[in-house]
Amino acid sequence: MTSIGILGAGRVGTNLARKLSEAGHHVVLGRRRPPEGTAAATEGTGPRVAFADQRTTARTAEIVINATPGDSALDRLASLRNELAGKILVDVSNATRTAADGLPGDLCYPGSSLAEKLQTALPDTRVVKTLNTMLFTVMTAPQALATPPTAYLSGNDEHAKETVTGLLRDLGWQPAWIENLGDITTARATEAMILLVPHILRRDGFEPFAVTVAR
């Protein structure tokens, strides 16, 4: 059992918390303003899920997942540099500016990526980018798609990527569906894939999908 802290308790964070809890991990959801009774499990997320503030979550977890809004994640996580030192940080966010219809618009970091910015701001943290190229429901139910989806991995530390691969398997990802792209600079390619998403959503709505390599 691994202690996993998830920063962000929205749809993405709670979805990941439920599945990782079911896999046997102890999960803490980090909120900016945690409710009273932070040791209690939250309804629908599983028996090993608790709430805490984000600083406590980052300090006490073995692995931290960034599920906060990508356009503000850099400043938020940079302020947790000491708490995240020595940890694996799994970044599943995309940093975009919101378009007029509320869907993702332009990239916040063209020519770079949120993952690269996080790795620079957190030199003592091992950042791994993954799960940012799909609707959030597919993160925990990849087998639900008719075509096998792809989960891409980007990061400088191979051991950290191996650890994250283990978490992906706990989420239902088969080894053949996981693509190790290379170092953290490869995250700019997968983050740029978000530019496809608003067009898909405007046409098909929030139907489960993933941007996938078909072989």
Side-chain angles (χ1 to χ4, degrees):
M1 183 178 72
T2 303
S3 173
I4 299 173
I6 301 177
L7 304 181
R11 293 181 299 179
V12 174
T14 55
N15 185 48
L16 290 169
R18 175 188 55 78
K19 187 73 172 193
L20 290 169
S21 173
E22 290 174 356
H25 300 289
H26 176 74
V27 181
V28 177
L29 275 168
R31 307 178 77 178
R32 283 179 291 180
R33 296 181 182 86
E36 294 182 5
T38 57
T42 178
E43 182 179 357
T45 55
R48 293 188 177 87
V49 178
F51 282 121
D53 64 88
Q54 292 187 351
R55 191 169 298 277
T56 299
T57 299
R59 185 178 66 250
T60 57
E62 298 172 62
I63 298 173
V64 178
I65 298 174
N66 172 41
T68 66
D71 60 347
S72 57
L74 181 58
D75 288 343
R76 181 180 296 109
L77 270 67
S79 71
L80 302 175
R81 176 172 174 171
N82 290 337
E83 288 79 6
L84 291 169
K87 308 287 180 70
I88 295 174
L89 175 65
V90 185
D91 179 32
V92 304
S93 295
N94 286 300
T96 60
R97 296 181 176 87
T98 304
D101 60 0
L103 294 176
D106 294 334
L107 298 173
C108 291
Y109 307 112
S112 184
S113 65
L114 172 60
E116 290 173 83
K117 298 290 186 181
L118 288 171
Q119 187 61 85
T120 298
L122 303 167
D124 299 321
T125 302
R126 294 170 289 168
V127 178
V128 178
K129 188 80 179 190
T130 193
L131 295 179
N132 63 307
T133 55
M134 63 201 68
L135 195 67
F136 74 95
T137 57
V138 179
M139 295 178 178
T140 58
Q143 71 285 350
L145 297 183
T147 301
T150 305
Y152 307 96
L153 286 173
S154 299
N156 294 338
D157 189 289
E158 290 300 324
H159 177 70
K161 286 189 285 188
E162 289 174 5
T163 300
V164 174
T165 295
L167 292 182
L168 291 178
R169 291 176 181 173
D170 288 342
L171 293 173
W173 289 85
Q174 297 184 18
W177 302 348
I178 301 170
E179 191 81 24
N180 184 352
L181 296 181
D183 67 23
I184 201 67
T185 64
T186 62
R188 68 183 65 179
T190 60
E191 289 192 27
M193 290 179 185
I194 192 65
L195 298 179
L196 287 171
V197 171
H199 306 296
I200 295 171
L201 295 181
R202 290 183 187 110
R203 186 189 64 196
D204 298 327
F206 284 85
E207 292 293 325
F209 74 91
V211 183
T212 298
V213 173
R215 291 188 173 93

